[in-house]
C-alpha cells in the first residue's frame, strides 16, 4: 500500500487529488488541515471488501475525526458509528447516522449519556464494568425500556503498539477480564431491562501485526462457545478497531490479512461482525499544512525550522513520540537537504514535530506538509497558548471545500465569565 495515494507531486508542487495545495493554502492560510475525499472512500472500500464474505457492519470510531463532513462521507457509504461520549453520539446522529448502526463504548459513561443512548435506540452499549451494567439496567427500567448490551472483554493480549494506545492488557482500564466475562453475562441475563445482543473487544490502536488480533479472537471465540452452551446467543461480534496505517516505513498487513487473522478463530460463528475502525479510514487522508516562520541555527550545530503550527493542532508527535512524514509543498531542484528539528511556536520544549529530520532547507514563508494527519489530529486539537484551531478543507478531485473555519479569538473566550467583584 502506498502511503499517500492522493497526495502527489505534479511538477514539483504537492497536490491533493487534482487540487494544488499551494493554491488551497493561499485561499485559507495556515495552519490548515487538507483532506482527500477519495482517500476515505478507498480505505472504506478496502475494509468492506476484506470483510465482505461475512455479514459485517463498519462502525467508524468517531473520535478519530469528528468533522461533520467526514462523518457524512462515511455514513453516506453505509458506515455506522462507534461513539465514546454523549457529544459523539449527538454528532453521529446529527450527521445522519442510523441509530441502529451505533455502538456506544467507553469506561466512563455517565447517567445522561446512557439515557441518551437508550432514548435514541442505539444498536448496543459496550459495557465495561459490573457497575455500568447495573446502571444501564436501572436507567432502562426508569425509561420503561430494554437496553441492548454487549460486554467489552479485555482479552489480555499485547497489541505490540505504543503503551499509551494499548487497551487490551490486564493492566489497562478497559473492558472486563475475560475470566470474569461469563459471570457477568450470567448476571446480565437475570436483569430484566437488558437484552444481551453481543460481545465486544478493542485491544489497542495502530496495530501493525495480525497476531494480536488472532490471539484476541481465540479468546473471544472461547467465550462465544461457552455462552452458546448457556443458551446465550449473540447477534453482534464486535472486534473493535486498531488496524494500523503506515506513518513511516512500517510494513502494514493488507486489509485481507487483518480479516483473515480475525475471522479464522471466528469461523462459523453466527451474527454480524462489527468493526470499529478509526485511524484506518481517515489517518492517511489528510495533511496538516504549516508555514515556515524562521530558520535558526543553534550553537550546538543544530538547525531549528520553526513553523506556524504546534501541538495544539496536532498532538501525536508530542503525546506518543509519533512519526509523521514532513515534506515540502513546493520542491525546488536546487535546494540541498539539511538535518533540522521542526519545531512549533508553543512555549514548551516538547512542541516539536520532528527531531533531526532530513528535509530540503526551507526559506521563510515556504510551506511544509505534515502527513498522515487525518486521525487524532483535528479531533485532539486544543486552543493552548490561545491559538485558534486550524481551518479544514475537503478536496474532491479539482474542487476544494471549507469544512471547518479556523477559531477566532471570540470562539476561544466566549464561555469565560468575569465575576462582578473583579469588575
Ligand atoms: C479508539 C477506539 C477505536 C478506534 O481505534 P483506531 O485505532 O482508530 O481504529 C475503536 N474502538 C474503541 C472502543 C476505541 O476506543
Amino acid at each position: 500500500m502506498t502511503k499517500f495515494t492522493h497526495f502527489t507531486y505534479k511538477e514539483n508542487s504537492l497536490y491533493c487529488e487534482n487540487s494544488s495545495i499551494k493554491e488551497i493554502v493561499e485561499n485559507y492560510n495556515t495552519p490548515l488541515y487538507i483532506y482527500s475525499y477519495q482517500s476515505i472512500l478507498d480505505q472504506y472500500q478496502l475494509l468492506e471488501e476484506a470483510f465482505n464474505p461475512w455479514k459485517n457492519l463498519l462502525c467508524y470510531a468517531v473520535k478519530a475525526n469528528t468533522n461533520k463532513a467526514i462523518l457524512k462521507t462515511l455514513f453516506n457509504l453505509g458506515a455506522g458509528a462507534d461513539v465514546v461520549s454523549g457529544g459523539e453520539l449527538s454528532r453521529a446522529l446529527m450527521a445522519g447516522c442510523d441509530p441502529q448502526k451505533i455502538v456506544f463504548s467507553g469506561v466512563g459513561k455517565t447517567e445522561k449519556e446512557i439515557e441518551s443512548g437508550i432514548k435514541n435506540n442505539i444498536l448496543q452499549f459496550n459495557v465495561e464494568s459490573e457497575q455500568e451494567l447495573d446502571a444501564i439496567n436501572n436507567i432502562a427500567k426508569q425509561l420503561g425500556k430494554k437496553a441492548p448490551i454487549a460486554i467489552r472483554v479485555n482479552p489480555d493480549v499485547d497489541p505490540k503498539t505504543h503503551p499509551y494506545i494499548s487497551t487490551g492488557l490486564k493492566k489497562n482500564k478497559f473492558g472486563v477480564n475475560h475470566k470474569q466475562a461469563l459471570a457477568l453475562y450470567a448476571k446480565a441475563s437475570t436483569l430484566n431491562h437488558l437484552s444481551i445482543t453481543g460481545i465486544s473487544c478493542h485491544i489497542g490502536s495502530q496495530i501493525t501485526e495480525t497476531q494480536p488480533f488472532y490471539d484476541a479472537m481465540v479468546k473471544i471465540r472461547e467465550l462465544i462457545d461457552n455462552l452458546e452452551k448457556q443458551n446465550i446467543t449473540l447477534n453482534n461480534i464486535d472486534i473493535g478497531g486498531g488496524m494500523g496505517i503506515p506513518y513511516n516505513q512500517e510494513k502494514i498487513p493488507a486489509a485481507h490479512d487483518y480479516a483473515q487473522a480475525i475471522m479464522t478463530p471466528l469461523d462459523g460463528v453466527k451474527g454480524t461482525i462489527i468493526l470499529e475502525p478509526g485511524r484506518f479510514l481517515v489517518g492517511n487522508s489528510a495533511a496538516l499544512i504549516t508555514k515556515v516562520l524562521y530558520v535558526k541555527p543553534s550553537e550546538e550545530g543544530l538547525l531549528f525550522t520553526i513553523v506556524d503550527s504546534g501541538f495544539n493542532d496536532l498532538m501525536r508527535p508530542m503525546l506518543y513520540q509519533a512519526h509523521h512524514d514532513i515534506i515540502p509543498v513546493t520542491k525546488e531542484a536546487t535546494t540541498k537537504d539539511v538535518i533540522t528539528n521542526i519545531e512549533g511556536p508553543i512555549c514548551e520544549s516538547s512542541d516539536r514535530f520532528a527531531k533531526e529530520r532530513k528535509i530540503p532547507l526551507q526559506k521563510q514563508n515556504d510551506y511544509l506538509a505534515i502527513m498522515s494527519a487525518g486521525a487524532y489530529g483535528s479531533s485532539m486539537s486544543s486552543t493552548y497558548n490561545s491559538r485558534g484551531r486550524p481551518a479544514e478543507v475537503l478536496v474532491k478531485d479539482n474542487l476544494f471545500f471549507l469544512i471547518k473555519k479556523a477559531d477566532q479569538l471570540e470562539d476561544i473566550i466566549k464561555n469565560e465569565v468575569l465575576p462582578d467583584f473583579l469588575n
Side-chain angles (χ1 to χ4, degrees):
M1 181 163 65
T2 30
K3 267 192 282 189
F4 322 119
T5 325
H6 298 289
F7 290 86
T8 51
Y9 285 102
K10 291 184 192 178
E11 291 167 3
N12 289 333
S13 183
L14 188 62
Y15 273 64
C16 176
E17 300 190 17
N18 282 312
S19 298
S20 151
I21 287 187
K22 188 149 186 283
E23 189 190 328
I24 302 172
V25 165
E26 280 164 1
N27 273 271
Y28 296 110
N29 292 323
T30 50
L32 182 70
Y33 275 104
I34 298 182
Y35 298 87
S36 155
Y37 177 71
Q38 190 60 45
S39 162
I40 300 172
L41 304 192
D42 289 357
Q43 289 298 103
Y44 186 85
Q45 198 186 353
L46 273 180
L47 263 196
E48 194 175 52
E49 276 176 12
F51 283 87
N52 191 44
W54 302 276
K55 192 172 172 224
N56 72 79
L57 175 63
L58 303 187
C59 290
Y60 167 59
V62 168
K63 73 175 189 281
N65 191 306
T66 39
N67 188 291
K68 220 191 316 203
I70 308 285
L71 295 181
K72 195 75 178 26
T73 298
L74 286 159
F75 299 154
N76 283 351
L77 294 169
D82 167 45
V83 301
V84 294
S85 73
E88 285 189 0
L89 173 59
S90 299
R91 282 195 194 219
L93 291 168
M94 284 190 293
C97 189
D98 177 352
Q100 277 298 299
K101 290 183 176 177
I102 296 180
V103 296
F104 199 146
S105 306
V107 281
K109 303 179 192 77
T110 65
E111 213 169 290
K112 226 174 116 189
E113 289 173 326
I114 292 168
E115 194 177 303
S116 172
I118 296 174
K119 282 186 174 161
N120 281 297
N121 238 348
I122 64 166
L123 178 63
Q124 160 178 306
F125 288 96
N126 292 340
V127 176
E128 307 216 11
S129 66
E130 182 170 0
Q131 289 186 349
E132 184 192 334
L133 193 75
D134 287 325
I136 296 177
N137 183 59
N138 288 336
I139 295 165
K141 186 175 174 187
Q142 284 158 27
L143 297 171
K145 292 220 189 188
K146 263 190 163 203
I149 61 108
I151 307 284
R152 174 166 171 185
V153 175
N154 182 332
D156 193 24
V157 299
D158 184 355
K160 303 196 179 74
T161 182
H162 190 281
Y164 286 9
I165 47 179
S166 120
T167 57
L169 282 166
K170 263 203 297 241
K171 64 178 182 197
N172 295 129
K173 68 180 172 183
F174 298 99
V176 174
N177 187 304
H178 64 106
K179 293 184 186 126
Q180 284 141 22
L182 282 178
L184 204 53
Y185 271 105
K187 174 173 176 173
S189 66
T190 67
L191 297 175
N192 288 332
H193 290 272
L194 300 180
S195 61
I196 297 171
T197 52
I199 189 165
S200 84
C201 82
H202 171 71
I203 56 174
S205 198
Q206 184 54 11
I207 300 166
T208 55
E209 294 174 36
T210 56
Q211 192 67 34
F213 282 107
Y214 180 90
D215 294 345
M217 290 315 129
V218 167
K219 297 196 173 171
I220 295 293
R221 179 60 190 265
E222 255 173 48
L223 284 170
I224 295 173
D225 290 346
N226 275 318
L227 288 167
E228 198 111 293
K229 283 184 204 137
Q230 297 171 29
N231 286 322
I232 298 178
T233 315
L234 306 171
N235 299 331
N236 305 319
I237 319 297
D238 183 343
I239 62 94
M243 290 90 175
I245 58 164
Y247 282 95
N248 193 359
Q249 309 287 342
E250 56 277 68
K251 264 186 83 88
I252 305 292
H256 277 102
D257 299 330
Y258 283 122
Q260 200 62 38
I262 289 164
M263 294 312 299
T264 302
L266 295 181
D267 184 42
V269 297
K270 294 181 215 72
T272 303
I273 304 299
I274 295 180
L275 287 90
E276 302 171 349
R279 189 189 310 276
F280 186 90
L281 296 178
V282 296
N284 271 335
S285 73
L288 172 62
I289 312 300
T290 184
K291 186 160 76 179
V292 174
L293 298 176
Y294 305 105
V295 179
K296 71 168 186 180
S298 83
E299 279 182 23
E300 282 73 40
L302 265 177
L303 188 65
F304 295 111
T305 301
I306 317 279
V307 297
D308 71 350
S309 180
F311 76 68
N312 72 299
D313 303 325
L314 178 68
M315 267 187 99
R316 300 190 67 260
M318 102 153 221
L319 193 58
Y320 316 123
Q321 291 83 46
H323 172 99
H324 286 258
D325 281 3
I326 299 177
I327 58 177
V329 168
T330 307
K331 282 203 273 195
E332 283 169 39
T334 54
T335 318
K336 283 211 179 75
D337 282 347
V338 290
I339 306 285
T340 178
N341 282 8
I342 299 167
E343 309 263 354
I346 291 175
C347 301
E348 309 264 350
S349 295
S350 54
D351 185 31
R352 176 194 294 143
F353 289 113
K355 194 177 164 187
E356 294 172 29
R357 189 69 69 82
K358 190 167 158 187
I359 58 164
L361 179 64
Q362 297 296 293
K363 300 186 301 299
Q364 279 183 295
N365 300 324
D366 282 351
Y367 296 117
L368 288 170
I370 304 172
M371 305 306 292
S372 310
Y376 309 104
S378 156
S379 63
M380 276 192 180
S381 62
S382 77
T383 58
Y384 185 48
N385 276 203
S386 290
R387 296 167 46 81
R389 289 163 300 181
E392 301 181 34
V393 165
L394 182 65
V395 171
K396 186 170 187 285
D397 195 28
N398 59 348
L399 304 173
F400 53 89
F401 306 88
L402 183 68
I403 58 171
K404 188 182 180 187
K405 293 186 227 166
D407 285 329
Q408 300 302 309
L409 186 64
E410 305 88 86
D411 301 317
I412 300 177
I413 62 179
K414 69 177 180 222
N415 291 331
E416 292 179 15
V417 183
L418 200 61
D420 275 345
F421 80 93
L422 288 178
N423 253 324

